[in-house]
Amino acid sequence: MLKRIFDRIISKLAVVRKSIFPKKIILNFHNLKDFRSADFGDVCTDLCGDVLDVGLFEEEMKWLNTFADFVSLNTLLNEETKPKKWLVAVTFDDGYASSLSYGLRICEKFDIPMYWFVATQFVIDPRSLPWWDILLHIAKEMDSLLEFDGLQGHYSFNLKYRSEKLRFFYLLSNEFKNLPPSGRDELVENLREAVKPYLDLPENEMVRPSDIANASRSPLLQLGAHSHSHPNLALCSDRELEREVKEGRRLLQEWSGQEVTLFAYPFGKRKYLDPRCPQAVLDAGFQAALTSEMGYINRNCDNFMIPRLCVDGRWDLTTFQARVLATDIISHIKSNR
Ligand SMILES: [Zn+2]
């Protein structure tokens, strides 16, 4: 409640910035779903900020279109002068099919260049379901006791209760994000075994290589690398890190024929990176790398730690407006908490 009032005040205060102090900002989206038609369930919308209603996405683009110019990511990053108007670049991460079926379709409607950072392992292997989608699927579908061995102990969740679904999702998300690739894969296997008697896990919702080849023909779409298996890069060995950074780009270039020059870090936050990560991206020949740390683009930005506003599916339009217009104020408040 307090948060909503805060966002309302911020969006009112910040409205003057729409015309007087224009900024450059990169937005980041993940998975879009139609909340009206999908049997999505309110549990999932509470749980995962990475899933956004397609109707809301369209409203957000429509609102931006009233005062901002949509530009390509390269234009935004290379524009040296202070903008006279707001400049917005739109990025999608991970490689969900919805980025094309909904995202690109709406981008075409508003003539928005779209930069798409794809993690390639999910594209190659339909059975490779990202752990966060496994957690979402289990939280949504299971209503019984779930017990399994985690890597640090035994877990037990009574998924009949909403509070337990939340505890399951957040506790496991935190554990997954802090595991090296081998530990992550082991925990995924343990989970798969544990739920086998109760439900079948579906194939992932990502595009396949042929979709990427077709989509790359759109003049509005540009591809970027997002690692191969979407690990916590800071917990990769040097060899794993190098492979993750290079393999994703190699495959995307092979499928699309496009040159891939930008990289977006998996999970995107500073806390999941170490100094080897930007260095590995630089050494691999990328021109720049993007994070999910909040901020506007200005000439002080480090080319390998470029900020983006990661748009949360749980925000309403007012909160989105507040976040866009006052990204710097909100990130300042957050960092001083
Ligand atoms: Zn990602």
Side-chain angles (χ1 to χ4, degrees):
M1 185 62 189
L2 269 176
K3 222 171 134 223
R4 287 181 67 87
I5 296 169
F6 173 78
D7 288 335
R8 203 144 280 161
I9 295 168
I10 286 276
S11 69
K12 290 272 177 326
L13 286 177
V15 111
V16 68
R17 290 186 147 184
K18 278 192 346 194
S19 46
I20 304 180
F21 302 109
K23 304 279 183 193
K24 294 191 277 186
I25 189 166
I26 304 169
L27 302 180
N28 179 223
F29 300 89
H30 293 83
N31 195 1
L32 300 176
K33 282 187 189 274
D34 187 344
F35 283 14
R36 289 163 312 172
S37 68
D39 64 327
F40 201 52
D42 54 349
V43 168
C44 293
T45 51
D46 272 5
L47 283 178
C48 189
D50 285 350
V51 187
L52 186 90
D53 176 39
V54 63
L56 183 57
F57 174 72
E58 184 160 357
E59 274 186 63
E60 291 170 352
M61 296 303 107
K62 214 163 150 183
W63 172 72
L64 289 166
N65 202 31
T66 60
F67 66 95
D69 277 348
F70 291 108
V71 292
S72 75
L73 191 48
N74 289 318
T75 305
L76 189 129
L77 293 176
N78 295 322
E79 175 69 57
E80 288 279 317
T81 50
K82 270 195 168 175
K84 293 191 178 65
K85 239 181 130 179
W86 276 74
L87 298 182
V88 179
V90 171
T91 67
F92 277 81
D93 279 9
D94 293 346
Y96 284 95
S98 67
S99 305
L100 292 183
S101 58
Y102 292 137
L104 185 60
R105 185 167 57 74
I106 292 168
C107 284
E108 281 169 347
K109 192 167 161 184
F110 293 97
D111 202 24
I112 304 171
M114 169 178 155
Y115 221 99
W116 195 22
F117 293 95
V118 176
T120 42
Q121 180 179 292
F122 306 130
V123 177
I124 294 178
D125 180 7
R127 255 187 50 84
S128 175
L129 197 57
W131 59 255
W132 54 89
D133 281 341
I134 296 181
L135 298 183
L136 264 183
H137 190 78
I138 294 172
K140 181 170 168 251
E141 300 296 333
M142 264 188 80
D143 282 314
S144 52
L145 190 70
L146 174 64
E147 292 197 78
F148 63 97
D149 287 323
L151 302 186
Q152 282 141 21
H154 189 72
Y155 282 127
S156 174
F157 301 95
N158 191 346
L159 297 177
K160 198 161 84 180
Y161 303 105
R162 188 186 174 81
S163 59
E164 282 284 273
K165 287 179 189 274
L166 291 169
R167 190 172 72 88
F168 165 73
F169 187 83
Y170 287 112
L171 207 135
L172 269 292
S173 291
N174 190 49
E175 181 159 343
F176 270 118
K177 281 184 185 168
N178 290 293
L179 285 172
S182 57
R184 171 201 62 191
D185 296 343
E186 195 183 329
L187 188 55
V188 163
E189 273 320 302
N190 288 0
L191 250 183
R192 277 186 177 274
E193 278 302 308
V195 300
K196 221 179 201 169
Y198 308 100
L199 56 112
D200 290 327
L201 290 174
E203 291 191 343
N204 70 40
E205 297 173 23
M206 308 301 176
V207 285
R208 306 277 84 93
S210 58
D211 300 318
I212 290 189
N214 288 334
S216 63
R217 291 194 204 111
S218 165
L220 285 177
L221 188 126
Q222 189 111 38
L223 290 162
H226 191 42
S227 80
H228 183 56
S229 78
H230 209 290
N232 176 334
L233 291 177
L235 298 179
C236 287
S237 67
D238 289 349
R239 263 182 74 171
E240 285 168 339
L241 175 61
E242 190 185 345
R243 180 169 184 272
E244 288 288 348
V245 169
K246 290 182 174 171
E247 181 68 356
R249 178 180 59 186
R250 187 187 71 75
L251 289 166
L252 289 174
Q253 292 187 157
E254 186 184 306
W255 297 333
S256 69
Q258 269 187 19
E259 196 191 355
V260 172
T261 57
L262 300 181
F263 187 88
Y265 299 111
F267 307 120
K269 296 282 182 211
R270 214 174 268 277
K271 62 181 173 184
Y272 302 118
L273 298 170
D274 67 13
R276 295 176 309 139
C277 305
Q279 191 60 48
V281 176
L282 175 70
D283 291 346
F286 285 95
Q287 289 170 3
L290 291 84
T291 68
S292 320
E293 295 288 349
M294 275 177 100
Y296 294 122
I297 306 302
N298 56 47
R299 73 174 71 123
N300 301 325
C301 285
D302 175 342
N303 254 354
F304 286 82
M305 288 300 283
I306 290 170
R308 290 188 290 178
L309 178 64
C310 199
V311 180
D312 193 303
R314 292 164 296 190
W315 298 346
D316 62 10
L317 186 61
T318 305
T319 303
F320 172 76
Q321 292 168 340
R323 302 286 150 140
V324 169
L325 296 175
T327 283
D328 48 354
I329 301 168
I330 293 167
S331 102
H332 184 73
I333 294 169
K334 279 190 163 181
S335 65
N336 283 314
R337 250 186 219 157

